Amino acid sequence: AGFQINDCADLPALGCPVIDLTPFLNQAIAQGANIHNNSWGDRENYMPQNTYTAPTADMDEAVWRNPEFLIVCAAGNNGSGNDTVGSPSTGKNVISVGAAQSPTIGGSAESLANFSGRGWTSDGRIKPDLIAPGQTCTARSDYDVTTNNCNTLLLQGTSLASPVTCGAAALVREYFTEGRYTTGVKNAANATKPTAALIKAVLLNGAVDMSEVAGPPPNRDEGWGRIQLDNSLYFEGDARRIIAVDKRDYFTTATQSPYIIEFESQGNVSAGQIKITLVWTDYPAAPAATIALVNDLDLAVADANSSTTIYLGNRFDTSGNSITGGSPDTLNNVEMIILPANTTGTFRLSVKPAHLVEPPQGFALVIGGDVRRISSPQSTGWLIRGE
């Protein structure tokens, strides 16, 4: 834990080497946990770091069986080179968290800590997912509970960033369970229990680019960016709004009609970029699989007034904005489309089942920015008018 590196996890109940995480995770699930922190890695002194291991598959399987069970994992402290994100944070269904610097020790929250594990995974997936503060003060000053010592100690590591992310995830979950979606005001009539995929999508959708990291998100260093919770959630009076969709077991065959909604944007730049984020909890892959993705969904957005302006998930230019053309992503179970803040018009969004090996397959969808939903989901149709 923390900044220290060991041959394998040195926490109680995990064992060394880590063999089977299922009983460990099942205990938390049985006790009613909805968010599970993991500030450890199982291959800390082994290379390559970025592989899909048996513990990684156990993590993915636990979320697949329990769709409201969100798992957060430290990205590892083997940076600063590429491909150093560590197992089990290489999982598809977990949130992998890297560490930002801290101004308290002369660093910048806009910069990545040098030890933070970088992407990509061995099969090229985008990891880490998010960045959170990883250099922090704690009351664990002398590691002795008998001394009543209340001083603080500076610790650093992605092990610190991971629980910070759990706290943010808990607030996102509370937002939905208190019924604050869609108005931003607590309303018991709107209360719902979000899936792990929806919480992850909300956090990713509101993440911000770290100005001192080279290149826009997604990139190897910061993934989709640094958590900014007030950018992820809408409250009364905010310029930035969100549209959230949480579908469980929605697709049963690969020939099923796409899920479609329409939305509009009036281009209020104070609301920031328009971000469309698709996340699905995927079936676990076999350990050491060459490609970890099992069920593949495709995200696409079309301009309602143009038959040729169609954006696909995870196709970006050098400034981080989505571009037309290209092929659908076949690696990630997170797909995003990002449009400039001043974008105006009506758009049609589609989530399509491209490949289903283990149905049924649910998904979560979040649209953020100066956006308003203008139609209900349609059971038929594709992306553009007149097809």
Side-chain angles (χ1 to χ4, degrees):
F3 186 65
Q4 298 169 349
I5 294 177
N6 305 280
D7 287 340
C8 57
D10 57 351
L11 299 178
L14 292 178
C16 184
V18 179
I19 297 174
D20 184 4
L21 286 181
T22 300
F24 168 72
L25 296 170
N26 282 347
Q27 180 182 22
I29 294 165
Q31 292 175 339
N34 293 110
I35 300 170
H36 192 278
N37 180 57
N38 295 270
S39 291
W40 58 276
D42 70 304
R43 290 175 54 84
E44 293 181 319
N45 271 344
Y46 298 91
M47 295 296 171
Q49 280 284 297
N50 60 344
T51 56
Y52 191 91
T53 65
T56 305
D58 290 343
M59 294 279 192
D60 281 347
E61 196 267 342
V63 185
W64 173 265
R65 284 188 292 109
N66 305 275
E68 293 179 22
F69 186 59
L70 177 69
I71 296 178
V72 180
C73 294
N77 302 325
N78 274 301
S80 59
N82 291 338
D83 305 329
T84 52
V85 60
S87 166
S89 71
T90 51
K92 298 174 289 182
N93 301 334
V94 308
I95 296 179
S96 172
V97 187
Q101 293 180 8
S102 173
T104 61
I105 59 171
S108 168
E110 298 294 327
S111 294
L112 200 69
N114 64 350
F115 54 79
S116 187
R118 271 75 164 172
W120 310 121
T121 63
S122 59
D123 61 350
R125 285 177 293 114
I126 298 167
K127 293 286 174 176
D129 295 295
L130 292 166
I131 303 299
Q135 298 172 317
T136 187
C137 288
T138 174
R140 288 174 46 191
S141 60
D142 61 2
Y143 300 90
D144 186 348
V145 297
T146 67
T147 63
N148 298 319
N149 189 335
C150 295
N151 294 326
T152 59
L153 175 72
L154 180 70
L155 294 178
Q156 60 180 359
T158 58
S159 290
L160 286 304
S162 184
V164 169
T165 302
C166 286
L171 292 173
V172 173
R173 188 174 194 279
E174 184 179 59
Y175 181 88
F176 287 95
T177 59
E178 289 187 344
R180 294 185 182 273
Y181 179 79
T182 59
T183 64
V185 178
K186 184 187 295 189
N187 183 349
N190 294 333
T192 184
K193 293 182 179 180
T195 62
L198 180 59
I199 296 174
K200 183 176 180 178
V202 168
L203 290 173
L204 291 172
N205 189 268
V208 296
D209 183 19
M210 299 171 68
S211 63
E212 296 175 24
V213 171
N219 58 58
R220 291 177 184 264
D221 291 352
E222 62 179 319
W224 293 102
R226 177 169 53 80
I227 292 175
Q228 187 165 317
L229 201 55
D230 61 350
N231 202 46
S232 288
L233 299 174
Y234 169 77
F235 291 95
E236 193 174 25
D238 287 352
R240 188 181 197 270
R241 307 178 69 90
I242 61 170
I243 300 168
V245 176
D246 202 8
K247 293 292 183 182
R248 306 187 189 209
D249 301 337
Y250 186 81
F251 293 114
T252 56
T253 69
T255 58
Q256 188 173 332
S257 297
Y259 178 91
I260 295 174
I261 64 172
E262 292 180 355
F263 67 94
E264 65 177 359
S265 173
Q266 297 179 351
N268 181 359
V269 295
S270 64
Q273 295 170 307
I274 298 172
K275 288 186 176 183
I276 302 101
T277 307
L278 172 68
V279 175
W280 66 96
T281 294
D282 192 28
Y283 190 82
T290 302
I291 302 295
L293 192 68
V294 176
N295 291 339
D296 187 16
L297 304 182
D298 286 339
L299 173 66
V301 170
D303 188 325
N305 296 313
S306 171
S307 61
T308 59
T309 306
I310 301 175
Y311 304 96
L312 301 180
N314 296 355
R315 296 289 177 254
F316 304 104
D317 61 19
T318 55
S319 66
N321 290 317
S322 290
I323 55 176
T324 59
S327 302
D329 186 312
T330 59
L331 292 177
N332 293 281
N333 64 323
V334 171
E335 294 193 11
M336 201 174 300
I337 291 169
I338 302 174
L339 303 176
N342 63 354
T343 300
T344 61
T346 301
F347 299 88
R348 200 175 190 203
L349 181 155
S350 169
V351 178
K352 176 185 177 181
H355 187 63
L356 292 186
V357 177
E358 295 288 343
Q361 180 62 62
F363 65 90
L365 181 68
V366 176
I367 310 169
D370 181 19
V371 294
R372 288 162 183 80
R373 187 167 175 168
I374 60 174
S375 73
S376 299
Q378 302 175 31
S379 59
T380 60
W382 181 224
L383 279 171
I384 55 177
R385 298 178 302 173
E387 69 217 288

